[in-house]
Amino acid sequence: MTTPVNADPAELEKFSELAHRWWDAEGEFRPLHQINPLRLAWIDGIAALAGKQVLDVGCGGGILAEAMARKAAQVTGIDLASKPLRVAQLHALEAGVANLTYREVSAEALAQESPAAFDVVTCMEMLEHVPDPASVVAACARLVRPGGWVFFSTINRNPKSFAFAIVGAEYVLKLLPRGTHEWNKFITPAELAAACRAADLDLRHTRGMQYNPLTRRYWLDADTSVNYLFATQRPAA
Ligand code: SAH
């Protein structure tokens, strides 16, 4: 296999190794299962998914991609880790979700192949695993049609995010396996906003995501100090 330029093989291996655990709602990917209804409702509320052509970049085992397909969108999920993609495909097959396809291709390559092909592009919890996140942002901007929506979520980089997203989540609460995240790869909202501006995406909505370890609940609010989401829009032609 030729290694694509904008991917870290060690990151892809990490997700491949755990692929068989992807749909265990109490396993290593529990946080993704728990935040999924929240982010799905937020995305659907902004972009009205039913009937739309949707691309999920870095889809992994397909937790969000399959949920969007259940909202009657026509969904394509892409990732560069083979095993999570196979798990995603199998899960969709078993669940009988037909309006959903998966492909092993980079966002950059698909943008060359199918520019402006999607009404909605989602890229969640992925940018912090990539060597050049701005290149993925630019590819997402090329993949969406004029007037379409691009959604990102990632983790802020500051002392609080080190304490919460690494020490808290991986070592104290053990919500995620150790080594899931590297703090220096986290991305500040200002950096992500700059990458969006450079790609000609207009930032429309920003939300922060919080977790209460006592109630084990997640919610969205205005505090972007750790996890956050962006809704951006490609200007209409
Ligand atoms: N977006 C999914 C999965 C997040 S886990 C969700 O939120 O539910 C991060 C995913 O990013 C993994 O599946 C990993 O394989 C993928 N990934 C990491 N680097 C990538 C790259 N360069 N291109 C595409 N996917 C990548």
Side-chain angles (χ1 to χ4, degrees), residues 7 15 33 52 55 95 97 146 151 158 165 171 184 210 218 221 228:
F15 290 103
H33 287 277
K52 300 276 166 66
L55 177 70
V97 182
F151 295 88
N158 54 37
Y171 290 81
N184 61 354
Q210 324 304 328
Y218 290 85
D221 64 15
Y228 66 96

Side-chain angles (χ1 to χ4, degrees), residues 28 38-39 46 50 53 57 59 79 85 106 109 111 121 123 136 141 157 160 165 173 183 185-187 195 197 201:
E28 286 84 347
L38 264 186
R39 61 190 185 177
I46 292 170
Q53 290 287 335
V57 174
C59 62
D79 203 288
L85 277 177
S106 70
V121 176
C123 179
V136 175
R157 191 179 68 259
K160 183 178 170 187
L173 301 171
W183 183 78
K185 287 187 172 168
F186 288 173
I187 303 164
R197 268 195 307 277
L201 288 174

Side-chain angles (χ1 to χ4, degrees), residues 40-116:
L40 177 67
W42 187 68
I43 292 166
D44 195 30
I46 292 170
L49 291 168
K52 300 276 166 66
Q53 290 287 335
V54 178
L55 177 70
D56 189 24
V57 174
C59 62
I63 294 171
L64 179 65
E66 199 176 296
M68 293 194 294
R70 288 176 190 279
K71 289 271 181 196
Q74 181 64 49
V75 180
T76 304
I78 64 170
D79 203 288
L80 289 176
S82 324
K83 280 191 189 164
L85 277 177
R86 280 207 294 277
V87 166
Q89 223 142 21
L90 203 64
H91 195 274
L93 199 69
E94 282 174 356
V97 182
N99 46 325
L100 175 56
T101 53
Y102 290 105
R103 272 186 70 186
E104 188 174 329
V105 63
S106 70
E108 288 91 339
L110 191 61
Q112 290 233 321
E113 190 186 305
S114 313

Side-chain angles (χ1 to χ4, degrees), residues 62-227:
I63 294 171
L64 179 65
E66 199 176 296
M68 293 194 294
R70 288 176 190 279
K71 289 271 181 196
Q74 181 64 49
V75 180
T76 304
I78 64 170
D79 203 288
L80 289 176
S82 324
K83 280 191 189 164
L85 277 177
R86 280 207 294 277
V87 166
Q89 223 142 21
L90 203 64
H91 195 274
L93 199 69
E94 282 174 356
V97 182
N99 46 325
L100 175 56
T101 53
Y102 290 105
R103 272 186 70 186
E104 188 174 329
V105 63
S106 70
E108 288 91 339
L110 191 61
Q112 290 233 321
E113 190 186 305
S114 313
F118 298 93
D119 301 301
V120 178
V121 176
T122 55
C123 179
M124 316 303 273
E125 317 300 333
M126 181 268 198
L127 294 172
E128 70 275 17
H129 300 287
V130 170
D132 181 1
S135 161
V136 175
V137 171
C140 291
R142 287 198 300 276
L143 284 157
V144 78
R145 65 161 167 81
W149 288 94
V150 183
F151 295 88
F152 298 104
S153 69
T154 188
I155 310 177
N156 201 343
R157 191 179 68 259
N158 54 37
K160 183 178 170 187
S161 74
F162 182 77
F164 280 56
I166 309 258
V167 181
E170 294 183 13
Y171 290 81
V172 181
L173 301 171
K174 299 184 169 58
L175 300 174
L176 293 167
R178 288 183 190 186
T180 297
H181 287 122
E182 289 165 49
W183 183 78
N184 61 354
K185 287 187 172 168
F186 288 173
I187 303 164
T188 68
E191 288 164 350
L192 186 54
C196 290
R197 268 195 307 277
D200 197 24
L201 288 174
D202 293 332
L203 177 55
R204 300 283 190 216
H205 308 281
T206 304
R207 300 297 276 159
M209 194 167 52
Q210 324 304 328
Y211 177 66
N212 179 333
L214 297 177
T215 59
R216 301 174 95 193
R217 298 222 169 274
Y218 290 85
W219 68 96
L220 300 183
D221 64 15
D223 176 2
T224 59
S225 56
V226 184
N227 293 85

